[in-house]
Amino acid sequence: MTDFDTAHLERCVELAEEAKRRGDGPFGSVLVGADGVRLHEDSNREASDGDPTAHPEFTLAQWAAANLSPEARAAATVYTSGEHCPMCSAAHAWVGLGRVVIAASGAQLASWRQEWGLPASPVRPLSITDIAPGIEVVGPVPPFDDRMRSIHQAAAGR
Ligand code: ZN
């Protein structure tokens, strides 16, 4: 973890908070090129778009496929407030993106939801490397995981 990594995770948390304020799921992600420049960012838009697949990790993969060479994709890093779901892990791998840095893991989110008496996700919370074994994953990263726990708890009204 570098200061660059910390700054990009900070932006993911901001994006997650923006999504929460809109009534969307509190998730945010940024795509960063090999030179450390932020190329694209998005947040969850499930409620705003009426599309349960409107996950930021998925739209970043689609943006990368449309705008970056295969080499640039492989050298890019995705920072995200919460670990990719299996759909997003598959998109990330199909598009050939590089490293992932996660604030909180899917396993953490699943355990928080259970603790708060919320229903389980309809999709099994498999790790990114269960879906895409070649992807380097860094995290969860304290204290960003604790901050995401608080944001999810507030979003769930718990
Ligand atoms: Zn997803």
Side-chain angles (χ1 to χ4, degrees):
M1 286 294 294
T2 66
D3 287 348
F4 275 120
D5 292 326
T6 303
H8 293 312
L9 280 178
E10 190 67 51
R11 180 62 185 147
C12 293
V13 172
E14 284 175 15
L15 287 163
E17 286 178 324
E18 285 175 24
K20 174 177 157 286
R21 282 195 293 273
R22 284 196 310 268
D24 288 304
F27 299 93
S29 311
V30 299
L31 177 68
V32 176
D35 55 2
V37 172
R38 208 169 287 161
L39 299 170
H40 200 60
E41 63 183 28
D42 205 358
S43 54
N44 183 285
R45 298 179 185 282
E46 287 180 53
S48 298
D49 289 1
D51 177 359
T53 68
H55 296 185
E57 303 90 343
F58 194 69
T59 58
L60 290 188
Q62 291 176 313
W63 185 90
N67 292 282
L68 299 179
S69 68
E71 295 75 22
R73 286 179 234 156
T77 298
V78 171
Y79 295 81
T80 188
S81 66
E83 184 174 8
H84 299 28
C85 75
M87 173 185 75
C88 296
S89 296
H92 186 105
W94 282 123
V95 166
L97 286 167
R99 179 173 84 122
V100 182
V101 181
I102 60 172
S105 71
Q108 285 178 306
L109 179 59
S111 74
W112 299 335
R113 289 181 61 85
Q114 188 174 29
E115 184 185 325
W116 300 328
L118 297 172
S121 159
V123 175
R124 200 182 295 276
L126 299 175
S127 72
I128 292 171
T129 51
D130 283 336
I131 304 295
I135 306 293
E136 179 195 352
V137 179
V138 178
V141 181
F144 293 100
D145 56 349
D146 281 338
R147 289 174 58 192
M148 286 312 306
R149 184 186 193 280
S150 299
I151 294 167
H152 279 288
Q153 189 167 13
R158 293 302 199 268

